[in-house]
Amino acid sequence: MLTAGKRLAVFSIREGKGGSIWVRAGSAFVNKDGSLNVLLDVLPLDGKLHVREAADKKDGAQAAGRFSSESGLESGLVEGHS
């Protein structure tokens, strides 16, 4: 459920040779009226973004699947930024 103050993660999902690669594109925050503020660090090449609840820092990126670093050069699990 989206409640005011909830932190969300924004991803660009790219299809790679080994499957989907999730690139952290930024963060989003839920406002009191239910709208979102989206803060992007990168722009997706295909114009598509995926928004989901952010994983706790202690859980790392495992809650959202397979990830790539922001540079898009390496695959595997990386910590998301807040």
Side-chain angles (χ1 to χ4, degrees):
M1 175 176 228
L2 297 180
T3 57
K6 184 170 281 277
R7 181 175 55 104
L8 304 169
V10 180
F11 298 94
S12 173
I13 305 171
R14 309 266 320 268
E15 293 301 321
K17 293 178 184 176
S20 297
I21 299 172
W22 293 54
V23 178
R24 183 74 183 250
S27 300
F29 302 91
V30 181
N31 297 312
K32 291 179 183 178
D33 64 358
S35 63
L36 297 174
N37 284 346
V38 180
L39 307 171
L40 297 178
D41 297 321
V42 299
L43 296 175
L45 295 176
D46 61 2
K48 297 177 187 176
L49 294 170
H50 176 82
V51 180
R52 63 170 49 222
E53 289 188 30
D56 291 333
K57 285 199 178 237
K58 65 181 177 180
D59 294 337
Q62 295 175 355
R66 184 173 173 219
F67 291 79
S68 171
S69 68
E70 284 81 5
S71 68
L73 297 176
E74 62 189 47
S75 61
L77 296 176
V78 297
E79 290 288 328
H81 53 278
S82 56

